[in-house]
Amino acid sequence: MSTTPYESLVADLKEANAIGSVLSLLGWDQQVNLPPQSHDRRGEQMAALSKVYFNAATNPRIGESLSAIEAKGDAATDDEKVVRKHVRKDYDRLTKLSAEFVAEKARLDTEAFQVWTQAKPASDFAMFAPFLQRQIDMAKREAAMLGEPDAYDYFIDKHDPGMTAVRIEALFNELKRDLVPLVRRIVGSPVKADRSRFKGFPAELQRVFSREVSAAVGFNFDRGRLDTAVHPFCSGDAKDTRMTTKFKEDFPLSSVFSSLHESGHALYEQGLPMDMLGTPLGEAVGMGMHESQSRLWENQVGRGRAFWKRFEPRFREVFAPRLDGVSSEALYLAINDVGLTPVRVDSDEVTYNLHIILRFEIERALFAGTLAVADLPGVWRAKAKELLGLELRSDAEGVLQDVHWSGGAFGYFPSYCIGNMIASQLWYTVLKAMPDLERDFERGDFSRLLGWLRTNIHAHGRRYDTEDLVKRVTGEGISPKHLLRYLNERYVPLYCG
Ligand code: ZN
């Protein structure tokens, strides 16, 4: 029996993906289990396997199958159209960049990262600046080699298919207009959360509680694991999902929310069509949609009163007697603590979006050529003042704080805020369909919400681009008004009531 180009393509993609998943597993193991003196060995293993992966992913047969499916034009099936669109982009990225370019980029990534790790503690932007300039130049060269007319849009599309800088700018400007005054109101309020009562919460007990919460929202521990790592992440796929969290003994709520966040990512992975794993029909849409899933579970669900009606008694029981004397209202305020910090990763869900808008505006100007790398620290400080009302003390807590640019990861930051907007938009859509949904949460039952996400988001893989899927599910394009509504409904009564 002869196979069709589509069947051949799917088989080749699945094989490459299986090899890639072993690489990802080695990466997971490196962050979770690897003995400290074994990193060299792991480097050798990963380099060797990377070559095998590259050969599988650039197999000329993939190119031939792809051309044959493209030649079918409109006669191709819907599935074929989805697969060829995304695989063409991925295949070109792997095959059209010269070997010299790829090697140069790998060297630059290593070097720039090492320089950044020194420049940050020294707060020495001048040390890092030439490497950032080189990453921007490389990014522009990459886009040009692929025939992409706009380098920044090319990088945005890598993370969120179909999105552009112009579209994001319109969304962020609308969000900024109402969010800046809202943040001023909340941080100006005399109501403050008190974290001083959360001392000495053993990691072992936090692990127990985190696992319970992850299982309750629907994480399948028979097809995945929850471990600890310095920086929490979720990797793996629908059949074997590896998520990690971390435990801060002086603030156990942070591990609860990091576990819920990663569970949101994991639930998306576990809900993707397993039979199409390794092809665009079994993959997530992009970063923004992925982030919408993690944020929805972490914030809309996990920081809500209904969720804590179910979990507060258990939280107190697991950590008894440490929360004696902390009222329910004080606990709820600590769960929804909002305050200003110059550091993005330490910020709360309200101010977080302003940190992203700042980075987007800077990246956009850098790529447009209207901002020189040398002027970056000053512009960063001015924007921190304008958006957050903060006076920065150093570049370490300003322009040097994030690792992303050292690796040339441009166009990635906006995804976080796009994810926040989509999360709120999905939240109000599901509440419209199921007005009593939060009653379920009070009983610890999240199956209706997960079922809705499975059907409306997860089941489609990459069939629709980010905004197309949002439109399909919610009836309108991405809009910041839902995020603004959510933040107002949750935080104004708490801080300005
Ligand atoms: Zn995330």
Side-chain angles (χ1 to χ4, degrees):
M1 212 172 72
S2 67
T3 54
T4 66
Y6 181 69
E7 287 164 347
S8 164
L9 179 64
V10 166
D12 286 336
L13 291 174
K14 285 186 172 186
E15 183 172 314
N17 178 268
I19 300 166
S21 75
V22 183
L23 267 174
S24 153
L25 199 56
L26 289 178
W28 168 87
D29 180 74
Q30 188 169 26
Q31 298 202 48
V32 172
N33 294 317
L34 199 68
Q37 290 177 14
S38 306
H39 282 273
D40 278 3
R41 185 64 179 144
R42 181 52 42 91
E44 290 165 11
Q45 292 164 335
M46 290 181 79
L49 195 60
S50 292
K51 282 187 194 159
V52 180
Y53 171 72
F54 183 79
N55 287 336
T58 58
N59 182 346
R61 202 167 54 212
I62 291 180
E64 288 157 21
S65 308
L66 205 47
S67 300
I69 300 166
E70 283 167 343
K72 289 172 84 173
D74 270 350
T77 65
D78 285 350
D79 284 2
E80 286 175 333
K81 285 176 185 166
V82 175
V83 170
R84 75 183 176 191
K85 173 183 155 183
H86 293 291
V87 175
R88 171 54 70 195
K89 282 189 198 171
D90 298 344
Y91 191 70
D92 282 357
R93 276 170 195 158
L94 287 171
T95 55
K96 284 193 175 173
L97 301 175
S98 69
E100 299 83 63
F101 178 87
V102 174
E104 188 184 337
K105 176 81 167 77
R107 276 198 304 276
L108 177 59
D109 286 354
T110 308
E111 224 181 324
F113 174 72
Q114 267 158 8
V115 170
W116 174 77
T117 57
Q118 293 163 8
K120 182 179 170 177
S123 205
D124 185 350
F125 181 73
M127 181 196 269
F128 179 61
F131 293 88
L132 176 56
Q133 184 62 58
R134 279 172 64 196
Q135 284 290 16
I136 295 168
D137 295 343
M138 291 289 286
K140 288 182 175 172
R141 273 168 65 199
E142 179 178 330
M145 283 167 108
L146 290 161
E148 294 285 344
D150 186 299
Y152 193 41
D153 277 349
Y154 160 72
F155 277 87
I156 289 172
D157 181 82
K158 259 189 185 183
H159 306 298
D160 292 306
M163 293 301 283
T164 63
V166 168
R167 179 74 186 119
I168 294 172
E169 184 180 43
L171 293 172
F172 283 8
N173 280 345
E174 195 185 331
L175 177 63
K176 183 165 81 168
R177 201 185 52 221
D178 292 344
L179 186 55
V180 170
L182 177 65
V183 166
R184 297 281 192 282
R185 264 181 89 190
I186 295 172
V187 301
S189 158
V191 179
K192 302 281 176 218
D194 177 12
R195 289 189 180 194
S196 65
R197 302 294 298 271
F198 298 91
K199 296 268 181 267
F201 284 64
E204 237 356 273
L205 297 180
Q206 294 193 45
R207 190 190 316 276
V208 169
F209 189 75
S210 284
R211 287 183 68 87
E212 281 184 23
V213 164
S214 293
V217 297
F219 181 77
N220 183 345
F221 278 95
D222 292 331
R223 272 197 277 131
R225 293 180 56 92
L226 173 63
D227 294 273
T228 54
V230 179
H231 304 288
F233 63 91
C234 176
S235 68
D237 52 52
K239 292 183 179 176
D240 183 359
T241 320
R242 304 297 175 104
M243 56 172 182
T244 61
T245 189
K246 65 175 173 193
F247 303 113
K248 287 186 185 168
E249 301 222 335
D250 59 351
F251 198 55
L253 289 168
S254 131
S255 76
V256 175
F257 290 107
S258 119
S259 302
L260 264 173
H261 180 98
E262 300 310 331
S263 294
H265 284 304
L267 291 173
Y268 190 4
E269 289 296 326
Q270 292 192 331
L272 289 164
M274 251 190 288
D275 55 332
M276 293 310 285
L277 182 62
T279 81
L281 290 165
E283 284 166 354
V285 177
M287 280 300 306
M289 193 60 71
H290 230 307
E291 207 56 26
S292 79
Q293 301 302 292
S294 57
R295 304 286 172 131
L296 181 85
W297 288 102
E298 176 190 355
N299 297 326
Q300 276 80 9
V301 176
R303 294 183 200 275
R305 292 210 184 260
F307 182 92
W308 285 93
K309 196 163 177 183
R310 163 69 180 82
F311 284 104
E312 184 186 332
R314 181 64 185 141
F315 191 65
R316 289 180 181 278
E317 183 183 33
V318 169
F319 296 105
R322 293 173 185 80
L323 286 154
D324 291 0
V326 176
S327 72
S328 291
E329 210 45 35
L331 175 63
Y332 191 64
L333 197 58
I335 287 164
N336 291 289
D337 187 6
V338 177
L340 290 177
T341 161
V343 180
R344 175 184 60 88
V345 294
D346 294 338
S347 68
D348 53 79
E349 66 161 331
V350 188
T351 55
Y352 191 94
N353 302 290
L354 297 177
H355 289 270
I356 296 304
I357 292 172
L358 178 154
R359 285 156 178 76
F360 166 75
E361 289 179 353
I362 285 177
E363 277 190 343
R364 195 160 186 219
L366 281 173
F367 275 81
T370 54
L371 169 61
V373 166
D375 298 331
L376 242 174
V379 172
W380 188 292
R381 280 163 196 261
K383 283 192 183 291
K385 176 94 182 112
E386 172 204 328
L387 293 167
L388 293 155
L390 282 172
E391 300 276 359
L392 302 188
R393 286 161 307 183
S394 72
D395 290 336
E397 60 173 31
V399 64
L400 285 168
Q401 65 180 275
D402 298 305
V403 66
H404 301 58
W405 289 343
S406 73
F410 302 111
Y412 187 102
F413 286 120
S415 302
Y416 294 118
C417 184
I418 292 169
N420 281 339
M421 289 192 277
I422 298 175
S424 288
Q425 197 159 337
L426 294 176
W427 176 242
Y428 287 114
T429 305
V430 71
L431 281 185
K432 212 169 175 182
M434 307 171 187
D436 59 344
L437 181 66
E438 288 183 283
R439 289 274 178 79
D440 293 11
F441 301 173
E442 292 176 10
R443 298 191 308 271
D445 179 359
F446 302 91
S447 58
R448 275 205 298 164
L449 174 60
L450 182 57
W452 187 90
L453 292 169
R454 290 261 191 268
T455 309
N456 289 285
I457 305 287
H458 308 172
H460 297 303
R462 294 176 87 179
R463 191 174 294 278
Y464 308 102
D465 281 355
T466 307
E467 187 150 23
D468 292 340
L469 182 55
V470 171
K471 242 180 235 167
R472 214 186 129 80
V473 178
T474 70
E476 58 170 344
I478 299 172
S479 165
K481 67 176 189 240
H482 308 284
L483 175 59
L484 288 163
R485 174 184 167 193
Y486 160 73
L487 295 176
N488 271 285
E489 286 180 1
R490 173 142 303 164
Y491 292 97
V492 170
L494 265 179
Y495 285 89
C496 318

